[in-house]
Amino acid sequence: MSPPGPDLTLDDLRRFFTNPARALLDHLDIALPFDVDPPRNDIPISPDALERWAVGDHVVGAVLDGSTPDAVITAELHRGSLPPGDLGVAALRDIAGSAQQVVNQALGLRTGEPVTTDVTLELGAGRRLTGRVPELYGDTLVRVSYSRLNAKHALGLWLDLLALQATEPGFEVRGVMVAKDRLGRIKPVDPELARATLARWAAVRHDGLQGLCHLPLETGHAWALGRGNRSVAWKNAMKKWQWDKFRPERDDPAWTHFLGPRADLSRLSDLERLADDVWRDLVAFEQGWFVR
């Protein structure tokens, strides 16, 4: 198979580490018949969890962009994604109340004018990383989501913080993720650590587009949060890979394609080394992320 080119973007790294199995399939031009839910023909009586998240996330984004809560509520009712009549109004006001709490926390951090920084970094081995890092408020990168805090948020915030810190070595940067259930924070890191980490991540991606990288995002981050205690790391990883009652990571179609259905954690034979390589130097700077 052809190796990836030497130039890559922040989005390339984000897509790869979000799901290395799917990234490899994309690199190989292999499409999977992912399951698609059939359209609903019934009138919804109450929104399910995914529908509530979609509405809540839209409310958060719209209010942060300047819309009033009442205008957003009216627009959502007209979209038809909620039950009709009073049922829809009641459901939306409940969701909007939770969304407003996220907005209030975000507004307390998003002070002043946001700054966007262009990134161009030489990472060694002929690799060049480019991209843009938005939403820097003062010395803090602020990210907002109506979702519960998770490893995908950690990955996104880390990528932007590392790229910005390596680009602006004389400026100390911190990061905050405002999520539905709590805040996740990242303390400032040394610029050399930032650059070295990005170079290591680029190398992992290069190898992971030549053969499967055994580093599912939630499972790998959970392992690293064991902070050197292998027993704790194993339990953390099991919670994400196969013990989760609703969406264990092993059931993702891309991982199933390579490892088979209901693959045991032991099938990720290189998990410990990769989790250590990718996350080892970073979890000590995290505050608020833990495994549930």
Side-chain angles (χ1 to χ4, degrees):
M1 68 184 73
S2 61
D7 294 337
L8 67 157
T9 67
L10 288 172
D11 283 341
D12 289 334
L13 286 176
R14 200 181 322 271
R15 282 192 295 269
F16 175 79
F17 285 104
T18 296
N19 191 324
R22 188 165 299 180
L24 179 57
L25 288 172
D26 290 343
H27 185 66
L28 297 173
D29 289 325
I30 297 175
L32 294 182
F34 296 107
D35 293 334
V36 177
D37 292 332
R40 293 176 60 162
N41 295 318
D42 58 327
I43 297 176
I45 300 302
S46 62
D48 62 24
L50 184 58
E51 290 167 335
R52 291 179 69 90
W53 170 82
V55 172
D57 201 56
H58 186 257
V59 170
V60 168
V63 174
L64 287 176
D65 286 341
S67 297
T68 65
D70 285 345
V72 176
I73 287 174
T74 300
E76 285 297 326
L77 289 173
H78 287 160
R79 286 175 64 199
S81 58
L82 291 167
D86 291 343
L87 286 174
V89 173
L92 185 51
R93 291 201 179 279
D94 179 55
I95 296 169
S98 298
Q100 188 63 53
Q101 294 178 23
V102 175
V103 169
N104 291 342
Q105 290 195 80
L107 290 176
L109 296 163
R110 291 168 41 132
T111 57
E113 290 297 317
V115 174
T116 296
T117 302
D118 291 321
V119 170
T120 302
L121 294 169
E122 302 294 337
L123 300 180
R127 299 189 182 106
R128 173 182 294 179
L129 177 67
T130 59
R132 306 191 84 196
V133 178
E135 296 185 316
L136 175 70
Y137 293 85
D139 66 349
T140 305
L141 287 171
V142 181
R143 302 291 180 261
V144 186
S145 174
Y146 189 68
S147 303
R148 294 184 180 276
L149 196 65
N150 58 46
K152 189 174 182 179
H153 298 144
L155 170 66
L157 186 55
W158 264 121
L159 265 174
D160 288 345
L161 187 146
L162 292 170
L164 182 56
Q165 190 64 84
T167 301
E168 303 283 355
F171 180 64
E172 197 171 76
V173 184
R174 65 197 73 240
V176 179
M177 180 72 220
V178 182
K180 182 181 178 181
D181 55 338
R182 62 190 191 275
L183 297 181
R185 299 181 184 273
I186 298 177
K187 296 183 288 186
V189 300
D190 181 82
E192 290 305 313
L193 172 60
R195 183 181 289 270
T197 299
L198 290 169
R200 196 160 62 241
W201 285 16
V204 171
R205 173 182 176 269
H206 182 275
D207 293 344
L209 295 180
Q210 304 299 289
L212 182 62
C213 173
H214 289 189
L215 191 67
L217 176 58
E218 292 281 351
T219 303
H221 188 250
W223 183 287
L225 288 172
R227 301 178 190 269
N229 185 321
R230 199 173 187 281
S231 175
V232 173
W234 181 84
K235 289 179 181 178
N236 285 350
M238 287 289 286
K239 289 178 182 178
K240 298 299 182 182
W241 180 250
Q242 60 194 81
W243 288 349
D244 189 294
K245 294 180 180 178
F246 302 103
R247 189 173 292 181
E249 202 164 14
R250 69 178 179 179
D251 287 353
D252 179 277
W255 289 107
T256 299
H257 175 82
F258 287 108
L259 302 178
R262 301 180 61 81
D264 188 78
L265 185 67
S266 61
R267 294 294 308 279
L268 299 172
S269 57
D270 217 15
L271 173 64
E272 183 173 2
R273 181 188 68 82
L274 286 165
D276 187 56
D277 197 32
V278 169
W279 294 109
R280 173 191 63 218
D281 296 327
L282 304 184
V283 292
F285 294 91
E286 295 181 358
Q287 296 175 323
W289 273 276
F290 50 85
V291 179
R292 286 183 165 177

